[in-house]
């Protein structure tokens, strides 16, 4: 793919990733498409993100600011994961992905970039992308179509334009998402439910994990990524909420940032060395050994 060489990437094994910085440049084709073709704006804000309610202008700001961050985070985490667990994927010709709260799709593009660069055996990628914001979904589909146009593999995409108001609405997914997946991801989406108290007093990370773990295929994984801020609504640091929620879930954590967070850096035409800090956990079903 055009300008697919990624620069200065450093990331240790998933279980030993403390105090390391992952740095890269956004591929030129992607930089040009989101900023020149789609008109994305780089406009950073330190406020809590509640993307579900954003209009088209807000989403274009998000595309130019947070899409590149999600791309580098997803690409680098999965690049390292695939190196460590390559044996699980070398015989697969088809992979399936589900993204809960896909937004403009930075994490999906990062993930499928890592897949296509690592596994020549994968011929087909099937994606189901769920989000409650129609403007975000349209931008995501546009970027994905640009990726598809220059990729040699078949990419099948289905969007699920569903807004989840509380944990009762998660039951909708049972009727909409009727298959199992190799990889499930959710990037900086659960923090919105915390801010809007859409799961009442219950831990949303626990509910999300319990909902989606049964939808993993054998050896399937789920990657949870979120911001590391102190949430004024829950009055708790989000990484602590993640670990507290997962401690009540029947799962194995097979990859995570050690310490409080992982730092990433992305450079593109609108900003050099844009820093993001996230907490991430890769989980799988707990198997009887």
């Amino acid at each position: 793919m055009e300008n697919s060489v990624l620069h200065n990437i450093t990331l240790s094994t998933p279980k030993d990733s403390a105090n390391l910085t992952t740095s890269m440049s956004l591929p030129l084709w992607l930089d040009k498409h989101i900023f020149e073709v789609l008109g994305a704006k780089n406009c950073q804000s330190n406020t809590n993100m509640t993307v579900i309610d954003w209009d088209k202008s807000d989403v274009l700001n998000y595309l130019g600011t947070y899409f590149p961050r999600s791309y580098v985070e997803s690409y680098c985490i999965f690049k390292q994961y695939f190196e460590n667990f390559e044996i699980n994927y070398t015989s697969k010709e088809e992979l399936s992905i589900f993204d809960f709260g896909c937004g403009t799709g930075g994490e999906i593009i990062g993930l499928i970039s890592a897949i296509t660069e690592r596994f020549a055996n994968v011929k087909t990628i099937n994606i189901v992308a769920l989000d409650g914001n129609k403007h975000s979904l349209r931008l995501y589909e546009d970027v994905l179509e640009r990726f598809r146009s220059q990729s040699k593999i078949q990419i099948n995409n289905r969007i699920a334009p569903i807004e989840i108001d509380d944990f009762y609405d998660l039951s909708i997914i049972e009727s909409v998402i009727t298959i199992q997946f190799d990889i499930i991801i959710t990037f900086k989406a659960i923090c919105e439910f915390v801010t809007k108290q859409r799961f009442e007093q219950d831990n949303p990370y626990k509910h999300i994990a319990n909902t989606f773990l049964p939808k993993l295929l054998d050896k399937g994984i789920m990657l949870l990524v979120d911001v590391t801020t102190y949430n004024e609504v829950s009055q708790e640091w989000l990484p602590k909420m993640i670990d507290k929620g997962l401690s009540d879930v029947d799962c194995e954590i097979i990859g995570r940032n050690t310490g409080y967070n992982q730092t990433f850096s992305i450079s593109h035409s609108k900003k050099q060395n844009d820093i993001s800090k996230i907490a991430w956990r890769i989980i799988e079903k707990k198997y009887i050994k």
Side-chain angles (χ1 to χ4, degrees), residues 26 31-32 82 89 93 137 141 153 182 231 251 267 280:
L26 197 65
D31 190 306
K32 287 183 176 180
F82 290 141
Y89 299 90
E93 294 188 357
L137 287 171
E141 289 186 294
I153 68 171
D182 294 290
N231 189 275
C251 69
S267 294
W280 58 273

Side-chain angles (χ1 to χ4, degrees), residues 123 147-148 150-154:
K123 307 300 182 184
F147 185 101
R148 184 191 282 120
Q150 58 187 24
S151 175
K152 295 181 180 179
I153 68 171
Q154 180 176 341

Side-chain angles (χ1 to χ4, degrees), residues 11-218:
L11 185 67
S12 67
T13 60
K15 288 186 178 294
D16 184 23
S17 59
N19 303 318
L20 294 176
T21 300
T22 300
S23 178
M24 64 177 284
S25 297
L26 197 65
L28 182 58
W29 73 268
L30 187 53
D31 190 306
K32 287 183 176 180
H33 192 73
I34 66 172
F35 289 113
E36 296 181 16
V37 177
L38 296 179
K41 306 295 182 182
N42 187 258
C43 181
Q44 299 180 36
S45 171
N46 292 323
T47 58
N48 283 333
M49 297 177 290
T50 51
V51 186
I52 289 175
D53 299 330
W54 285 2
D55 60 19
K56 184 175 181 179
S57 177
D58 293 323
V59 173
L60 284 173
N61 289 339
Y62 186 92
L63 179 68
T65 306
Y66 296 102
F67 179 101
R69 292 182 177 185
S70 293
Y71 178 91
V72 63
E73 293 155 3
S74 179
Y75 175 87
C76 292
I77 291 171
F78 278 109
K79 180 177 185 294
Q80 183 63 57
Y81 168 77
F82 290 141
E83 289 175 1
N84 292 336
F85 295 89
E86 182 175 25
I87 192 172
N88 292 342
Y89 299 90
T90 52
S91 63
K92 288 181 174 288
E93 294 188 357
E94 187 170 337
L95 287 175
S96 54
I97 299 167
F98 174 66
D99 188 349
F100 179 75
C102 67
T104 54
E107 65 269 20
I108 295 179
I109 304 300
L111 168 54
I112 62 178
S113 295
I115 292 171
T116 55
E117 289 178 18
R118 184 75 182 183
F119 300 110
N121 52 285
V122 175
K123 307 300 182 184
T124 303
I125 299 177
N126 301 309
I127 303 170
V128 177
L130 183 149
D131 200 87
N133 187 290
K134 62 181 181 180
H135 303 296
S136 293
L137 287 171
R138 288 170 183 165
L139 290 172
Y140 153 66
E141 289 186 294
D142 192 293
V143 177
L144 183 65
E145 182 57 36
R146 179 68 178 88
F147 185 101
R148 184 191 282 120
S149 69
Q150 58 187 24
S151 175
K152 295 181 180 179
I153 68 171
Q154 180 176 341
I155 300 175
N156 303 316
N157 178 62
R158 178 163 69 95
I159 62 168
I162 300 171
E163 183 173 344
I164 305 298
D165 286 321
D166 51 44
F167 59 84
Y168 296 107
D169 285 347
L170 287 177
S171 61
I172 297 174
I173 295 175
E174 295 296 329
S175 60
V176 175
I177 311 301
T178 58
I179 61 175
Q180 292 180 304
F181 299 88
D182 294 290
I183 300 171
I184 295 176
I185 56 177
T186 179
F187 268 61
K188 307 166 199 172
I190 303 177
C191 60
E192 296 186 38
F193 301 126
V194 177
T195 299
K196 291 197 167 187
Q197 294 183 302
R198 292 190 169 178
F199 287 78
E200 299 174 358
Q201 300 302 313
D202 293 304
N203 188 299
Y205 301 97
K206 173 184 175 181
H207 281 291
I208 296 298
N210 278 329
T211 297
F212 294 124
L213 278 173
K215 295 190 175 295
L216 288 175
L217 291 165
D218 183 42

